[in-house]
Amino acid sequence: MEKSKRMGSSPFEFHLVHLDLKGAPPKVSYLAEIFPVFRLLGANGILLEYEDMFPYDGELRSLQANDAYSSSEIKEILKLAKLHELEVIPLVQTFGHMEFVLKHKEFSHLREVGMFPNALNPHKEESLRLVSTMIEQVIALHDDLRWFHIGCDEVYYLGEGEKSKEWLQHEENTIQKLCLAHMKAVASHVVSAHPTVKPVLWDDMLREMSEETLRDSGIAQLVELMIWDYSPDLDVDNKVTLINKYHNCNFSKLWLASAFKGATGVNQCLTLIGHHLKNHQQWLKVAEKSPGGIIQGIALTGWQRYDHFSVLCELLPVGIPSLAICLQTLMNGGYSQKVKEDVETILGISSLEIDVFMRYVTGWFSSYHRKRKKIHPIMIHHFQPDALRLLTKWTAVTQELQTAMAKVFSTAAIEEWIEENIQPSLQRLQETIDDLDTAIQALA
């Protein structure tokens, strides 16, 4: 902890690690191990995206996943965070990305578009009551909250519901006004019920709005925006212009959001450290060029799924080296060989390079050859032993992996990941060996 403080050239006051719980949520025992590592690397906060892992109660009980945390587990997580000086900011989606709520039959009538469970219908009073109840249940388990993230990103199909189409027929009504009205209603609930808590929301739905529209809406008096961009080549000048625009619209404080994993492919297995490092280097340039005092901090996002229904992307333990490099780059105000060496020392690993383990038989035993059971006899000696060894090794590694994963994740998360990422490759390898045997027999 002291080491990261001494480096202290980060332009940000807050470095939040985002925990996306809608996929492979870690066991509390694993969080107990990893929170001190977060702190050692320079984090001082957690952006905790609950989704269906919160123990919702009463009329919201059906929102819980089968392996949702209990109230006592939530309290333990918050206690661990406090112990390691990590300020917790809960994140509850209240507009877009509402699949975990709107997929349920009892809430499906609150969809903006009947077919799609992603966006909430902002015209119904029951919609505001629903998200207000969710917020209240979450806040009730948290002490001394200073911020509460209400989501509101990627509100797809807004304006395409029947109620919205009817409302938009009036000349003075626009989708922008509709969007802002719901955001303000949710934020106003938080502020009126909890005057010391500041709502935060993702900025993407506001980016294209004019300064006049944003200023006239009054939303800047209610919320702080979190500007997100996960690309390695994000446009620095464009972001600085956007920050100045929001500043001119009276937003007193802004947050930035980068990504340390979960943003390079919906089914990505291995974290591309270089990609995420470049993303953070660009954000450092943005911070350097931005008006002083306006940027509150940065959230390093680590997505587990692109949305509630997609497959798992990189698991949290796989992304830790990337998180470490990115955090230490921020803490040092840039990346260097020393940053890399410090991270390797902290994590106890010899190298951050990712080796390619798989070799593919393509030239002499392609699908064409396999179908016709054709193979050059010399080639049998080149890759049949390797294929058999690889199958044996993979089978053993899979068993070891399942044992290791059991210390971090629930059985359901392990089964999903193994079935999605291991079994197809094992099956292809077994089929290759079977076809090889058949081709060899055809030579006899």
Side-chain angles (χ1 to χ4, degrees), residues 32 115 129 137 162 167 177 182 245 263 397 407:
M115 283 180 63
R129 282 202 304 273
Q137 289 197 14
E162 293 307 312
W167 185 82
K177 283 185 180 179
H182 181 75
K245 171 183 165 180
V397 167
K407 296 176 181 177

Side-chain angles (χ1 to χ4, degrees), residues 216-232:
D216 291 350
S217 73
I219 195 167
Q221 283 69 49
L222 290 169
V223 306
E224 293 177 4
L225 296 183
M226 188 171 278
I227 305 168
W228 61 271
D229 193 322
Y230 311 143
S231 60

